[in-house]
Amino acid sequence: MAFDSPLAGEIWSSKYRFRPLDGAGDATVEATWDRVAAALAEAEPVKSRGRWRARFREALEGYRFLPAGRILAGAGTGRAVTLFNCFVMGTVPDDLDGIFQHLREAAVTMQQGGGVGMDFSTVRPSGAPVRGVGAEASGPLSFMDVWDSMCRTIMSAGQRRGAMMGCLRIDHPDIEAFIDAKRNAVRFRNFNLSVLVPDAFMTALDADADWPLVFGGEVRRTVRAADLWNRLMQATYDAAEPGVIFIDRVNAANNLAHCEVIAASNPCGEQMLPPYGACLLGSINLARLVSAPFESGAAMDEVELAALTRTAVRMLDNVIDISRFPLPAQEAEARAKRRLGLGVTGLADALIFCGARYGEDRAVALTEQWLGLIRREAYRASAELAAEKGAFPLYDPAMLERPNLASLDPETRELIARHGLRNGCLTSIAPTGTTSLLAGNVSSGIEPVFAFAYTRKVLQPDGSKREEAVEDYALALWKRLKGADAPLENAPGDAFVSAQTLTPEHHLRMQSAAQAQIDSSISKTINCPEDIAFDAFSDVYREGYRLGCKGLTTYRPNAITGSVLSVETPPASDAVSTGPVLTPRPARLEGATYKVRWPLDPHAVYVTINDSGDEDGGERRPMEIFVNSKNMAHYAWTVALTRMVSAVFRRGGDVSFVAEELKAVFDPGGGAWMEGRYTPSLPAAIGAVIERHMNLSAGDASFAPDAAPTPEPAPATAAAPAPSACPRCGTPGLVRKEGCDSCLDCGYSRCG
């Protein structure tokens, strides 16, 4: 079939198309569906394999069921990759050897395409004694820096950016430093952060009581719960992180509480998992299942939705049997519990088709109805699979009394009681950024539509750019059915509503309604206006807790992460079509020269960084860089480096990523120790110089290479920030949704 947009074709070609070196592979998206259907059918008995291959292929047709990207890209290719998206690593031990063993395991997992989550609460706090060596512990955040550096390295070696979730309990003695960590605009850039909040803390908060900070059973300090909560809320208000996971609620509602304890989530928060837990993902595209869209009789085809749900459960269950796993412990977990993450995408578009306004009563009711049907049919399909293939090894009949199963209808419960379940958990709602683009730019997950139309620049082979209009699937269908000039106000229910016009209450109502029908959790971002009052912002989290949410992530445009992408149409001009230009160099610049002694080189390297800035003491920023040495072996690459980095500096915007990327460069010949620290390469040493210079230029005289500064919380009235740039195409502005940064210009997506 033809793609609904050129962007969809580019997404398929760059991310999901199989193109081996011998030239064979996927010629069309239909060939991709054929490959995936055939691979998943291999888990079926030989005599029925052809029948199931046809059923699976039918489910994929028309983008009705969207397996997650790891499955689309890897199934049937023979590549040594995992088909699972979600992992939580093992419990991090509180000893050096164990910590670095777990670092290696995380690296192996990400190398094969998995996103990872870790709970660092088991690492002793900063300043705690390390018996036997007469030293003090550096604390969990220092080891998270090591994970962050590793993730950059794995990212630079592969096609898919690494993604990590770092968690810390709110009673850990280092929780305040963890809360403030993302205020540093260059620290933990490869992590999403979440604070694990138990019910006892929320009780203490309501009672305005004190809260103990504990490690190893010993109370290290006591703080006022309200003060700690306000610190968390202020950091999230200012920097969009950390998020919050209500960890006791997660464990209380877990189907598998009889055989596991959950302490962390995957990078986007939709899968709360035990140590070495693994889960795979797939989404039913609700936008493709509405009959008579925009008409008075518009409705979800519930017969088709039920049938598709049953087929999707079988497809995902088969993935467990054909997938590779990065670690044996992950394979053992996956096969013992057979967790699935079946979710939806296109919810907002489906609501528009039915004339239901996102966040209002009818939309909430339809969401509960549709997701309730999926929940019921998924459990029935899993019970029938258990009758055919056997229940998952750790199935316990007492599971029927767990909250998710106890609330099922009697017929479904009777079916489970008779056969057991094939899968320990069945549903979650994951981010579907690029797969939603592949499916014609349907709305992502359960998020509202971010922008109904925007303009994308496409680079041509000759270096020129052409502009291309990109539309949300619902808008494109409206124009096709009603005419290009049909006013959106004529749509039933005034349903064409975007994220820009919704209140946080609309988001909370939808997340709460969905969570009640979902086994695991939901990846969703509650977008808040930049001018929201701090007290109102803080209450979003307390209200989410009251409404039964398992976790919350918010996004408010801020001075650290920047603003979301503007969707206003810019005036036509040459500047729009040519993109950012380099700032002209003034005749005179001031700067500083740094001497770098690279231990593996007899000659010092001198790094000069010159700054721009007005003569009245205005903001200074790097404008150019020069690297000089007597060692001519460095000449070619240092000239290339200085020209490229100087061009980036002169382009403007947030250039802090330059230091971050250089510090991630590892020399295959080995690094060296400099001033008591391991430095992986000479370019990494230059990156450290750039980082130090930028901190000093910003007025942070306290900057030290081994301790990132922790500034005081910025006031809530901070000036409006400049938009942050896409790291792939440079377009100024990223969309923040479902815990991920997404570029509407080139399709780039990063969760973590």
Side-chain angles (χ1 to χ4, degrees), residues 481-619:
L481 296 177
K482 303 297 183 180
D485 298 325
L488 297 184
E489 292 79 6
N490 292 348
D494 192 22
F496 275 98
V497 59
S498 71
Q500 277 67 43
T501 57
L502 294 170
T503 66
E505 288 74 21
H506 288 121
H507 289 274
L508 280 174
R509 293 190 73 197
M510 295 296 285
Q511 181 170 339
S512 174
Q515 184 61 79
Q517 307 298 330
I518 295 298
D519 290 347
S520 188
S521 193
I522 296 168
S523 179
K524 172 159 176 49
T525 298
I526 297 175
N527 291 100
C528 299
E530 186 174 357
D531 60 356
I532 187 174
F534 176 73
D535 288 346
F537 176 86
S538 179
D539 195 55
V540 168
Y541 284 80
R542 299 182 78 162
E543 182 64 17
Y545 179 74
R546 289 190 286 268
L547 288 173
C549 296
K550 292 182 179 179
L552 289 168
T553 300
T554 55
Y555 184 79
R556 168 189 165 271
N558 61 81
I560 296 174
T561 60
S563 300
V564 294
L565 180 67
S566 170
V567 295
E568 296 177 359
T569 302
S573 69
D574 291 341
V576 172
S577 60
T578 58
V581 296
L582 301 185
T583 303
R585 186 194 190 280
R588 181 178 181 274
L589 292 173
E590 293 185 356
T593 298
Y594 302 86
K595 184 177 182 179
V596 178
R597 278 286 187 187
W598 182 241
L600 305 182
D601 195 325
H603 302 293
V605 175
Y606 295 87
V607 180
T608 299
I609 304 175
N610 292 327
D611 297 328
S612 65
D614 61 43
E615 297 178 356
D616 298 322
E619 180 184 358

Side-chain angles (χ1 to χ4, degrees), residues 42 85 121 130 223 246 254 264 267 325 329 363 368 393 395 400 419 426 434 474 487 491 516 518 556 578 584 605 666:
E42 287 297 309
N85 285 69
S121 304
V130 181
V223 298
F246 298 117
N254 182 17
F325 294 86
E368 291 173 339
Y395 174 73
L400 274 169
H419 302 302
L426 285 152
T434 52
I518 295 298
R556 168 189 165 271
T578 58
V605 175
F666 281 69

Side-chain angles (χ1 to χ4, degrees), residues 348-366:
D349 283 346
L351 292 172
I352 292 172
F353 296 156
C354 295
R357 190 176 174 88
Y358 190 97
E360 301 292 349
D361 289 348
R362 184 157 178 262
V364 170
L366 286 176

Side-chain angles (χ1 to χ4, degrees), residues 218-300:
E218 177 185 345
V219 176
R220 304 299 176 98
R221 286 187 294 126
T222 300
V223 298
R224 183 169 168 253
D227 291 341
L228 188 56
W229 180 257
N230 285 338
R231 186 168 190 153
L232 172 58
M233 292 297 100
Q234 189 71 59
T236 306
Y237 185 90
D238 293 340
E241 288 192 73
V244 169
I245 295 174
F246 298 117
I247 192 63
D248 286 351
R249 177 169 292 163
V250 168
N251 279 294
N254 182 17
N255 289 0
L256 295 165
H258 66 281
C259 59
E260 67 182 30
V261 176
I262 291 172
S265 85
N266 74 312
C268 293
E270 76 275 8
Q271 279 297 335
M272 315 292 187
L273 297 168
Y276 292 113
C279 191
L280 68 160
L281 303 170
S283 299
I284 294 172
N285 185 358
L286 297 176
R288 297 276 181 165
L289 301 179
V290 175
S291 60
F294 306 118
E295 303 299 330
S296 59
M300 180 66 60

Side-chain angles (χ1 to χ4, degrees), residues 709-749:
T710 306
E712 290 299 315
T717 57
S724 54
C726 172
R728 176 188 291 169
C729 69
T731 299
L734 292 176
V735 174
R736 181 74 169 181
K737 57 183 181 179
E738 297 174 316
C740 301
D741 293 325
S742 301
C743 179
L744 298 184
D745 204 51
C746 68
Y748 165 85
S749 179

